[in-house]
Amino acid sequence: MLEPFRAIIDGDEPPPPGSRAPDAEELSRALQVLLKAQVIYSGTPGIGRSYELARHYQPFFTDYFACLGYQMAVSHRDQMVSLTLPVDAARHDIVSERLRKDETLVLLALRLAYEEGVRDHRISTDGIVEITTDDLVESIRTAARSEPPDEARLIETLRLFARRGGVRLGERDRAERVTPVMVLPGILVLASDGWLERIEAWANAADGAGDGGE
């Protein structure tokens, strides 16, 4: 991978239209940003030209992350670049982390909110579904039949998923004590179909163990 890397920073590969070729530090940063965040957008703050470079030099980025077992996808419609892993591959991304029960419930509620937004045609042209923290609380109570985390803990959890490109938070309404939540298309990467299947299998196994207990 050193030769393609060198070709990009030396300008042997055509730079992005109307822009310059990245230097070694900038290209390395773009790789690190995408690996850490898993999902980035053209408007993600604080990432410099990472989105532009990943999209323009897609063959290099694709080959680089393939060496790590990831599949890279570029969604021009959503202006999104994401990394995913095959369903049966060993995972070291956010869904492989030991998410707490409340974090898992919030992630499930976000995925459900996105699906409902698509179904009800409440999705924007940018692929965003707008909800509130109250909507998430209600979803956890009714769909998951669990007690939701308190407001502070919920915001803390949402910020975790925001850093991974799953949501964006708006300004809290102090009077209503509610925060707007923009569910981004990256939620389908964080809460993938494969992850949902594993959660369902775990829940079924737990139910079965409970039925068989004394």
Side-chain angles (χ1 to χ4, degrees):
M1 297 304 298
L2 290 178
E3 290 184 8
F5 185 96
R6 180 62 60 183
I8 290 174
I9 63 176
D10 286 347
D12 295 337
E13 293 288 337
S19 186
R20 58 173 175 76
D23 58 25
E25 182 179 354
E26 193 173 26
L27 187 56
S28 295
R29 182 192 180 197
L31 292 166
Q32 293 170 21
V33 163
L34 187 52
L35 183 61
K36 180 179 180 180
Q38 191 177 351
V39 182
I40 62 173
Y41 304 87
S42 61
T44 299
I47 64 169
R49 293 204 295 158
S50 297
Y51 170 81
E52 175 192 8
L53 297 178
R55 188 180 68 172
H56 181 74
Y57 298 112
Q58 183 177 353
F60 165 72
F61 276 74
T62 297
D63 290 344
Y64 177 89
F65 288 114
C67 294
L68 304 179
Y70 287 95
Q71 296 173 339
M72 193 183 93
V74 177
S75 173
H76 296 283
R77 183 197 65 184
D78 299 322
Q79 295 188 319
M80 177 180 81
V81 178
S82 63
L83 297 179
T84 59
L85 283 165
V87 174
D88 297 329
R91 302 188 68 93
H92 303 283
D93 55 359
I94 189 169
V95 300
S96 71
E97 297 174 3
R98 291 185 177 275
L99 294 179
R100 299 179 180 177
K101 178 182 177 181
D102 58 353
E103 293 170 340
T104 300
L105 290 173
V106 172
L107 187 55
L108 285 169
L110 289 169
R111 170 65 190 253
L112 178 61
Y114 195 83
E115 290 180 345
E116 290 177 343
V118 172
R119 182 195 65 199
D120 299 338
H121 307 289
R122 292 185 290 103
I123 187 169
S124 72
T125 55
D126 296 327
I128 297 173
V129 173
E130 296 188 11
I131 59 171
T132 68
T133 46
D134 276 358
D135 295 326
L136 286 175
V137 166
E138 183 63 23
S139 178
I140 292 172
R141 280 181 177 150
T142 57
R145 298 180 181 178
S146 296
E147 189 62 26
D150 62 30
E151 183 183 13
R153 176 60 180 158
L154 177 58
I155 294 299
E156 178 186 359
T157 302
L158 288 171
R159 285 174 178 159
L160 166 66
F161 298 135
R163 291 192 294 271
R164 297 295 187 132
V167 299
R168 194 161 62 235
L169 301 181
E171 191 71 24
R172 181 177 183 267
D173 187 318
R174 294 180 179 272
E176 298 293 334
R177 299 185 64 182
V178 64
T179 300
V181 180
M182 285 144 280
V183 189
L184 308 178
I187 203 65
L188 300 178
V189 177
L190 302 186
S192 65
D193 291 342
W195 179 75
L196 291 176
E197 290 171 2
R198 286 192 294 275
I199 291 293
E200 183 179 4
W202 174 85
N204 290 337
D207 288 343
D211 293 340
E214 293 181 1

